[in-house]
Amino acid sequence: MSGHRKDWTNILFLCLSPVAGIVGTIYYASRFGVQWWEPALCLTLFFAIGLSIGSGYHRYFSHRAYECHPAVEWIMLFFGAMALQNSVLQWARDHREHHRFVDTDRDPYNINRGGFWAHMLWIFYKEGPDRNFDTVPDLTRNPRVMWQHRWSRAIGIGFGLGFPALVGALFGRPLGGLLWGGFLRIVLVHHTTFFINSLAHMWGKRPYTTENSARDNWFLAFFTHGEGFHNFHHAFPSDFRNGIRWYHWDPNKWLIQSFRATRLARNLRVTPPPVVENAKLRIAAATTEERLARIPSGMADDLRARAEHARRRMDETLRLWKEADARHSELKAARRAGQRPPSQAVREMKLRMRACERSFRATRQEWQAALERFRDAPAGQSL
Ligand SMILES: [Zn+2]
Ligand SMILES: [Zn+2]
């Protein structure tokens, strides 16, 4: 939680960096032109640092959505520090509180205090004196995290500004490097991250949960390496993915999958598909309640009966899926323990789980088709 004392370092930096990054870069480009490596440097650092925030600060350190090699930790800690968004210790603690107390006074970037508060105003205040890191013992035990906590600002300024200036110097334009790869990139990474706390709690759909203000927004996802699928993320925060379909733009998900492919990460946490489908169906069913009041009673009864049928079918399939999943885990554990379970049994379990997943999707589609029929029906008319 923020205290009442203003943090003038943060205020000045957050107000002046856009002047240097946007106005300064435009002025420099208009006077001296643009060389190809300047936008390339900006974009490369935007991805390297933005992905370290998304895959590292957020999905790994805040949510423990997977396990990874210490070398990966180091890289993400180093590049993450260059974002100048606090140390991971502070970032992850604040973010865990955001999830735990979302939309309340104890949420550091509570959207109910206004979009601008959630976006960046909350950073304008110093922390209260009672703030500490007691709530994140897993992070305080990690020596790499504690090292980064000590040095994150120095890395952010020294390397975050020094490295692009050095690259610029190699091309004979240190100021060009500093503006494009330093200040403009800082502003872009800052505000795309901040958009998740502001716009992704205001603008978009809520297909998985309506218990909080988080929204799914593919447009924001495009600029935030996939973090814009924020409604799914708040519903299932420990999932390593935010965009769950293969076509959802989620470079953080792809990066983590590439870590797994190269054995740098393991135990990627995935929400079972039936659990996701179940959440979606429940939201679809709940949102029809308001519509039921507006349509003739015969139609409303029919829709209610369909909803009840879908819900029962979903519950039954979820039960069957859980049974099959538990049996599948037992067989896998037995195999790890050196026993050889009959491969026929493993195959059968997998087939049963897949059949349940198909049934889930069919139930949801059946339910959505029914909704379509009722959606446009004017009050007072029968089908
Ligand atoms: Zn959120
Ligand atoms: Zn999160």
Side-chain angles (χ1 to χ4, degrees):
M1 287 279 295
S2 301
H4 298 291
R5 283 169 53 227
K6 289 193 177 65
D7 188 328
W8 285 105
T9 314
N10 283 358
I11 294 173
L12 284 174
F13 191 81
L14 286 167
C15 292
L16 294 179
S17 55
V19 177
I22 299 170
V23 181
T25 307
I26 291 173
Y27 177 75
Y28 182 84
S30 67
R31 285 229 35 208
F32 305 106
V34 177
Q35 292 194 356
W36 68 269
W37 59 268
E38 288 167 336
L41 178 68
C42 180
L43 211 61
T44 306
L45 288 175
F46 174 73
F47 269 91
I49 294 166
L51 288 168
S52 297
I53 293 291
S55 303
Y57 269 44
H58 186 211
R59 300 189 196 182
Y60 177 71
F61 288 107
S62 301
H63 292 296
R64 297 287 181 208
Y66 58 100
E67 290 167 23
C68 70
H69 193 278
V72 175
E73 277 190 23
W74 273 121
I75 290 169
M76 294 189 300
L77 287 170
F78 189 79
F79 281 93
M82 283 161 74
L84 285 170
Q85 294 183 13
N86 288 334
S87 67
V88 79
L89 188 64
Q90 206 168 336
W91 201 105
R93 179 202 59 194
D94 290 346
H95 191 70
R96 287 181 191 177
E97 282 172 8
H98 166 62
H99 276 267
R100 193 159 163 217
F101 304 112
V102 63
D103 301 336
T104 70
D105 284 345
R106 295 182 69 184
D107 172 357
Y109 19 97
N110 174 13
I111 194 67
N112 293 322
R113 293 186 71 171
F116 193 50
W117 171 269
H119 188 73
M120 60 190 277
L121 211 56
W122 70 278
I123 314 165
F124 284 16
Y125 293 88
K126 282 190 170 81
E127 294 190 336
D130 52 335
R131 292 285 277 166
N132 56 46
F133 298 104
D134 289 352
T135 53
V136 285
D138 58 314
L139 295 177
T140 50
R141 272 197 304 269
N142 182 330
R144 294 174 287 281
V145 167
M146 297 314 285
W147 183 88
Q148 197 246 20
H149 182 59
R150 193 160 168 221
W151 296 104
S152 72
R153 203 166 267 201
I155 298 168
I157 293 168
F159 284 87
L161 296 175
F163 173 73
L166 191 70
V167 173
L170 294 176
F171 286 95
R173 288 160 60 106
L175 190 57
L178 181 67
L179 287 169
W180 281 90
F183 286 107
L184 181 62
R185 182 271 307 164
I186 285 174
V187 173
L188 292 176
V189 177
H190 264 170
H191 291 274
T192 46
T193 308
F194 299 167
F195 277 146
I196 298 303
N197 299 336
S198 56
L199 288 182
H201 278 267
M202 300 163 79
W203 182 31
K205 293 191 171 151
R206 294 196 282 179
Y208 302 99
T209 175
T210 49
E211 281 173 12
N212 58 64
S213 59
R215 305 288 204 271
D216 265 14
N217 183 317
W218 62 266
F219 184 72
L220 270 182
F222 184 73
F223 295 102
T224 53
H225 317 295
E227 302 279 68
F229 298 104
H230 205 53
N231 184 258
F232 177 84
H233 175 61
H234 268 268
F236 306 108
S238 54
D239 198 308
F240 85 96
R241 311 156 304 167
N242 281 12
I244 53 168
R245 306 273 168 243
W246 65 268
Y247 53 84
H248 283 167
W249 180 259
D250 189 358
N252 279 304
K253 163 183 77 180
W254 298 322
L255 179 68
I256 296 164
Q257 283 170 331
S258 73
F259 288 153
R260 176 175 57 188
T262 50
R263 294 173 180 259
L264 288 168
R266 59 180 191 167
N267 292 340
L268 278 52
R269 289 164 77 176
V270 175
T271 316
V275 175
V276 176
E277 293 298 331
N278 200 24
K280 272 182 109 168
L281 185 110
R282 281 172 195 284
I283 296 299
T287 47
T288 54
E289 275 303 315
E290 303 157 17
R291 287 189 205 136
L292 288 176
R294 282 181 274 132
I295 60 177
S297 60
M299 288 168 71
D301 291 344
D302 186 20
L303 192 58
R304 261 195 206 100
R306 282 168 191 265
E308 185 51 28
H309 176 256
R311 195 187 56 74
R312 272 205 306 271
R313 199 174 148 192
M314 204 59 132
D315 285 347
E316 177 59 12
T317 322
L318 190 61
R319 191 182 63 75
L320 289 172
W321 184 87
K322 279 183 179 158
E323 264 176 33
D325 185 47
R327 184 81 187 111
H328 186 224
S329 304
E330 275 172 27
L331 292 171
K332 274 201 305 197
R335 187 186 283 164
R336 271 200 299 273
Q339 298 164 16
R340 289 192 93 232
S343 54
Q344 175 69 21
V346 176
R347 239 192 333 267
E348 195 196 313
M349 281 309 117
K350 279 189 180 163
L351 284 175
R352 267 170 65 179
M353 286 166 72
R354 254 180 242 141
C356 288
E357 285 168 21
R358 273 198 300 277
S359 169
F360 265 106
R361 272 196 293 276
T363 311
R364 184 163 57 81
Q365 274 161 8
E366 189 185 298
W367 170 242
Q368 275 172 340
L371 278 184
E372 293 295 321
R373 282 176 63 205
F374 290 91
R375 186 161 293 150
D376 305 320
Q381 274 190 17
S382 56
L383 284 173

